Amino acid sequence: MAVVKSGALRQALGTALLVSVLTGCSVIGLGGKQTKEAPLDSYTPEQIYEMGEKELEVQKNPKASLRYFQEVERLYPYTEWAKRGLIMQAYTLHQTKKYDEARDAAQRYLDFYPGDEDAAYAQYLLALSYYDQIDEVGRDQGLTFQALQALRVVIEQYPDSEYAKSAMLKFDMAFDQLAAKEMEIGRYYLKRGNYAAAINRFRTVVQDYQTTSYTAEALHRLVECYLALGFTDEAQTAAAILGYNYQSSPFYEDSFKLLKGRGLEPKVKGDGWLAKVYRQMIRGEWL
């Protein structure tokens, strides 16, 4: 059989081979036989990267795309396409919920390209790798602390980035999560009459998580605890803070009724930690 020397035919076969790799199909040769996918090192870094993009965006297959993004970094290190491939590894690993690996890829990006325009996105992905693992309140909150730390970096180091606003919203939600954990434990102790342990938890919310949605309830629970222990000065002071900040809250109504039932009223008394909080609040140093 004569050898085909047509340049146009050779170009067409080369195009068919590339398309086959992009679509995940085998190429049909001249004899009707399937040919294997060419080794990735026979392609340019741009072509390999585009293979990964096609799997991700067209085929909606992040797992398949990951291979291409990893290979472009391995085969062509220190190139622009290797850099792009690395940030896309972090993204696709996060999409497939391989959070530890996503975090590692994002951190590598930050280590190699700290001044790059996508560094903010890498830090945001790193923070998300913690944030998206935060489960229900009842579980350990170690990941919440790590998410807060990573989100704070986005907010403080990349305040003008498009990710700063989202990071701030997620920071507030994670912060609320920590307060919720303290409240859950505090309620547990309160129901069992362990008032000292409950007070410690509610105090943490008032002092450390005062911007969260749980502060009003924490103050009311402090009123309950202190009344149960006979510490009326502290109970009245907690109610005074509650009334000053959350007078329309049903928690304030409940605290007011509790005090009224004992002939007491919301009022700052004594010089305990709550009285100090109240004075700080009046000077605008609280909330």
Side-chain angles (χ1 to χ4, degrees):
M1 185 176 80
V3 177
V4 179
K5 298 182 179 180
S6 169
L9 181 56
R10 287 197 300 272
Q11 182 178 3
L13 288 172
T15 301
L17 178 60
L18 177 58
V19 170
S20 74
V21 175
L22 294 177
T23 58
C25 299
S26 299
V27 174
I28 304 300
L30 290 176
K33 297 181 180 180
Q34 291 186 339
T35 61
K36 295 181 179 179
E37 177 183 308
L40 287 179
D41 58 9
S42 65
Y43 296 100
T44 67
E46 181 178 4
Q47 288 173 328
I48 299 173
Y49 181 86
E50 288 176 349
M51 294 174 192
E53 275 196 330
K54 185 174 182 65
E55 287 290 349
L56 183 64
E57 298 174 7
V58 179
Q59 304 298 335
K60 308 298 182 185
N61 191 346
K63 289 184 179 180
S65 70
L66 179 62
R67 172 190 173 226
Y68 295 110
F69 296 136
Q70 290 173 329
E71 285 299 291
V72 74
E73 183 194 11
R74 185 183 69 84
L75 293 171
Y76 301 98
Y78 313 114
T79 65
E80 178 66 22
W81 296 105
K83 181 174 69 173
R84 294 188 188 185
L86 181 53
I87 194 68
M88 291 306 294
Q89 286 177 55
Y91 173 76
T92 53
L93 285 164
H94 184 268
Q95 288 293 100
T96 54
K97 299 185 178 181
K98 294 181 178 179
Y99 297 118
D100 290 345
E101 295 176 49
R103 187 158 51 247
D104 290 343
Q107 187 60 61
R108 280 198 297 121
Y109 191 94
L110 291 167
D111 292 341
F112 294 157
Y113 315 106
D116 189 76
E117 60 181 355
D118 282 330
Y121 184 52
Q123 179 62 43
Y124 183 66
L125 282 173
L126 192 152
L128 285 183
S129 72
Y130 289 117
Y131 181 84
D132 287 347
Q133 291 185 84
I134 298 174
D135 289 320
E136 64 273 11
V137 173
R139 299 190 61 180
D140 177 72
Q141 296 300 293
L143 285 169
T144 307
F145 280 108
Q146 292 172 304
L148 284 169
Q149 292 172 346
L151 288 166
R152 186 186 293 276
V153 174
V154 177
I155 297 166
E156 294 180 350
Q157 293 190 12
Y158 309 100
D160 299 323
S161 72
E162 60 185 295
Y163 312 106
K165 184 176 180 180
S166 177
M168 284 188 281
L169 291 173
K170 287 179 169 56
F171 185 94
D172 289 342
M173 293 176 68
F175 204 59
D176 227 53
Q177 185 86 354
L178 292 179
K181 179 66 174 181
E182 295 295 326
M183 290 301 299
E184 180 191 49
I185 298 172
R187 293 189 205 102
Y188 174 86
Y189 287 134
L190 177 59
K191 288 180 180 178
R192 285 153 182 77
N194 191 343
Y195 300 115
I199 287 171
N200 287 335
R201 297 295 179 166
F202 300 138
R203 177 174 179 169
T204 297
V205 175
V206 171
Q207 290 186 317
D208 298 339
Y209 304 113
Q210 54 196 232
T211 59
T212 68
S213 60
Y214 293 96
T215 307
E217 183 186 353
L219 287 164
H220 170 62
R221 302 304 176 195
L222 285 168
V223 172
E224 292 181 323
C225 290
Y226 282 128
L227 284 177
L229 293 171
F231 298 151
T232 56
D233 286 359
E234 288 80 358
Q236 288 177 270
T237 304
I241 297 173
L242 182 55
Y244 188 90
N245 290 278
Y246 308 99
Q247 192 164 14
S248 61
S249 167
F251 290 115
Y252 177 67
E253 295 178 11
D254 292 342
S255 289
F256 186 83
K257 290 177 182 178
L258 284 174
L259 291 175
K260 186 177 180 180
R262 300 198 180 193
L264 303 171
E265 62 179 345
K267 186 177 181 180
V268 180
K269 301 193 71 175
D271 195 35
W273 72 272
L274 280 166
K276 293 177 182 178
V277 166
Y278 185 86
R279 288 194 295 272
Q280 290 171 349
M281 174 195 64
I282 295 299
R283 292 198 297 264
E285 298 173 9
W286 191 74
L287 299 180

